[in-house]
Amino acid sequence: PRQLAAVQTCRGSHTHTVVTDPDDEGNIYVYGSGTSSVRPGDELEGCSDESPSEDPNTALFRIDVIQIPLTRPEEARIVGRPYIFRDPGSGAIAGLWKGGDHGPGTQSTRQTSQCHDITAYPEMGLAAGACSGNGILLDISDPINPVRLDEVVDPGFAYWHSATFNNDATKVIFTDEWGGGGRARCRASDPREWGADAIFDIVDGKMEFRSHYKLPAPQTEQENCVAHNGALVPVPGRDIKVQAWYQGGLSVWEFTDSKNPVEIAFFDRGPVGEDVLGMSGGYWSTYWYNGYIYGSEISRGFDVFKLIPSEHLSQNEIDAAIEAASTGSQP
């Protein structure tokens, strides 16, 4: 591989979301949202970390839309910086969660000024953003000008980390990376709603909360554990996800009934250290690909798993998921 271009942004970039447009076959687009501090203006002209009241052109409260011409990728450039957090009534740029807690017994949540992760489903014209203090739903039918359709909060969430659509885009799962992924948050004493998944149904362009899912097996004080990255297992007619939980292992769980998610398989490797908590092991992410689950394990590389039939999942369904993935029908 060789570098063809470099596009500088004011806040760097944490994750990239590739977006295609069926009406524009000559370009692809990348949504970028940096989670770092803002570059100084003398490093990159036009960058500002001022509040919107001080500088309406602040680099906060927006994402970067980068256009990449397929025949001239070296000409990649920023073509938009939409304020996707704007208040639709007042027009205020900082229009969503202001930061702080949600009341007695809740924890502090970051201000919604950036997105940790945006997941796009171009075939459906939708994207979901896990954006610090909010989960948001975007209409991306015009990729350069995404429009926010809805936003949600959860009093149990500390940091909205990632988003996953089901295969027909009727549901979206958001994860809460409570404690930044470096703390033991799956103990028997921890609230079930904290550091968990929140499942929403998408109804007429709005998100309606249905339930939470959290790793059902309690973990020890020595295991950093919180909801992290995962992927769909494309069993036809069912909504199934395989998900990483750091040292909590991995969980294969079903949310076909979004009000009653249930675990159908798991692997728990146990703590890396017997006496101390360390972020030196566990699954960062899990991926389903052509019949196998690949877990990126922090301390030892990656592990490979194969699903076997059980009372929760038949061999025919496993074979159908393999066929779905190999024919490219999985988003």
Side-chain angles (χ1 to χ4, degrees):
R2 60 191 178 92
Q3 182 172 313
L4 299 177
V7 179
Q8 283 190 303
T9 64
C10 287
R11 290 185 291 126
S13 59
H14 185 270
T15 56
H16 292 163
T17 302
V18 177
V19 180
T20 55
D21 183 352
D23 298 322
D24 180 8
E25 297 183 356
N27 297 286
I28 60 173
Y29 298 87
V30 170
Y31 292 168
S33 182
T35 57
S36 183
S37 56
V38 177
R39 300 176 191 266
D42 57 1
E43 181 179 331
L44 183 61
E45 185 178 358
C47 294
S48 166
D49 64 356
E50 298 287 349
S51 68
S53 61
E54 298 291 330
D55 183 357
N57 294 314
T58 177
L60 302 172
F61 303 99
R62 55 167 73 186
I63 62 173
D64 297 302
V65 179
I66 300 165
Q67 183 186 64
I68 305 173
L70 291 176
T71 59
R72 304 179 311 282
E74 67 278 2
E75 297 179 11
R77 62 191 180 96
I78 295 174
V79 293
R81 292 190 176 97
Y83 286 114
I84 60 172
F85 309 133
R86 189 188 299 272
D87 183 274
S90 67
I93 293 169
L96 296 182
W97 181 246
K98 306 299 184 184
D101 63 45
H102 293 272
T106 65
Q107 57 187 335
S108 181
T109 306
R110 293 270 294 276
Q111 180 188 48
T112 301
S113 63
Q114 59 190 16
C115 292
H116 183 279
D117 182 69
I118 301 171
T119 298
Y121 201 158
E123 294 84 353
M124 296 294 188
L126 294 173
C131 303
S132 304
N134 287 91
I136 65 173
L137 184 67
L138 297 171
D139 178 347
I140 60 168
S141 52
D142 178 359
I144 297 178
N145 300 291
V147 176
R148 191 176 80 245
L149 297 173
D150 198 18
E151 66 282 338
V152 290
V153 295
D154 189 306
F157 271 34
Y159 190 78
W160 294 70
H161 176 273
S162 59
T164 304
F165 287 107
N166 68 336
N167 203 52
D168 59 4
T170 59
K171 303 168 188 172
V172 60
I173 299 168
F174 292 101
T175 66
D176 172 28
E177 193 176 33
W178 182 35
R183 300 175 69 181
R185 294 306 200 193
C186 298
R187 299 162 298 184
S189 59
D190 290 321
R192 298 294 302 164
E193 296 80 12
W194 292 16
D197 299 308
I199 306 165
F200 294 83
D201 284 353
I202 301 173
V203 182
D204 297 327
K206 301 294 183 181
M207 294 182 287
E208 298 181 358
F209 174 75
R210 293 294 182 256
S211 65
H212 289 105
Y213 173 80
K214 191 172 183 179
L215 190 71
Q219 305 297 304
T220 67
E221 294 277 356
Q222 289 73 45
E223 296 172 281
N224 61 302
C225 178
V226 74
H228 214 237
N229 301 325
L232 295 182
V233 180
V235 175
R238 299 175 68 178
D239 295 322
I240 297 175
K241 183 179 182 180
V242 56
Q243 185 170 0
W245 293 80
Y246 287 105
Q247 287 191 65
L250 66 83
S251 177
V252 182
W253 59 283
E254 181 171 8
F255 59 105
T256 305
D257 179 355
S258 52
K259 292 183 178 180
N260 296 287
V262 60
E263 185 175 70
I264 61 177
F266 72 92
F267 176 80
D268 188 351
R269 58 155 293 162
V272 174
E274 294 183 3
D275 301 317
V276 296
L277 169 65
M279 196 176 171
S280 58
Y283 293 109
W284 177 266
S285 190
T286 53
Y287 307 88
W288 165 271
Y289 184 72
N290 281 0
Y292 295 93
I293 293 168
Y294 296 86
S296 54
E297 217 284 352
I298 294 169
S299 67
R300 65 183 185 217
F302 69 89
D303 295 338
V304 185
F305 299 88
K306 187 175 183 178
L307 285 175
I308 59 175
S310 71
E311 67 271 25
H312 304 293
L313 197 64
S314 70
Q315 185 63 57
N316 284 341
E317 288 175 311
I318 295 172
D319 292 342
I322 297 170
E323 180 64 23
S326 64
T327 57
S329 62
Q330 183 182 10

